Amino acid sequence: MGSTLCIGAGLIAAALAAGTAMANGEKAHAARRIDYSKAEQTPFGIAADPRKAKRTIRVDMSDAMRYTPSEIEVRRGAVVRFVPTNKGQVLHEMVLGTMDELRQHAELMKKHPGMEHEAPHMAHVAPGKTGEIGWRFTHAGTFQFGCLIPGHFEAGMVGKVTVK
């Protein structure tokens, strides 16, 4: 009976830990399933399988509300694998888009701060963890990436992607 109680208590503790981790934005990356054959074109490109990337770009996110590097240059048509790493103590995210789209999404997040959202052009990254985005920039121009967690975008947590 004692070992059954210990196993049951262990399972409950594991379930609570998993629930807490999910509530804090720590989503199991392996669970993120994207059907790239159904990816939709956006004004800033299209989702691409990161395993097919010829270039990996590591981006650090900090509690100073900054990305390093904050400016990135890529070739039009190339598949890029972004690996955002959260060096801070709070949840951060990397969301690709146009400045107008990011501003609109940031406003929506302020109105609904607990809203969960998932899309191929974004990675939510818990403290000390890394995420992954596979992307093909199909249009030349200047695009942005930002952290849309309420207050972060407004504090300047925005970067720039120049596509040539």
Side-chain angles (χ1 to χ4, degrees):
M1 169 96 174
S3 62
T4 304
L5 185 59
C6 287
I7 291 171
L11 290 173
I12 291 169
L16 288 173
T20 301
M22 292 294 277
N24 289 323
E26 186 179 316
K27 297 180 181 180
H29 186 70
R32 183 176 173 170
R33 303 265 184 240
I34 299 170
D35 184 348
Y36 295 102
S37 69
K38 294 180 181 174
E40 294 182 20
Q41 182 67 46
T42 71
F44 52 95
I46 191 166
D49 187 341
R51 295 172 295 185
K52 296 182 178 177
K54 300 279 189 236
R55 180 176 175 201
T56 296
I57 301 172
R58 298 186 183 284
V59 179
D60 290 342
M61 302 180 288
S62 75
D63 291 346
M65 304 303 153
R66 296 292 181 261
Y67 292 103
T68 305
S70 61
E71 295 189 21
I72 298 167
E73 190 172 299
V74 299
R75 291 180 126 175
R76 181 178 168 217
V79 175
V80 177
R81 176 180 173 246
F82 289 100
V83 179
T85 300
N86 187 342
K87 301 286 188 174
Q89 300 299 311
V90 299
L91 179 68
H92 290 296
E93 59 186 12
M94 181 177 186
V95 181
L96 300 171
T98 64
M99 186 55 82
D100 283 344
E101 289 171 328
L102 293 179
R103 281 188 181 121
Q104 288 173 15
H105 194 158
E107 285 301 314
L108 188 63
M109 291 301 295
K110 279 198 279 188
K111 292 177 184 173
H112 308 282
M115 179 178 78
E116 288 195 27
H117 55 287
E118 187 67 37
H121 65 283
M122 59 180 64
H124 314 286
V125 187
K129 302 294 182 182
T130 61
E132 182 178 66
I133 300 171
W135 201 257
R136 180 187 311 268
F137 289 93
T138 54
H139 303 289
T142 301
F143 305 99
Q144 284 72 34
F145 53 96
C147 182
L148 305 183
I149 292 173
H152 295 205
F153 186 75
E154 297 78 6
M157 198 163 184
V158 181
K160 178 171 77 171
V161 179
T162 303
V163 182
K164 294 185 174 188

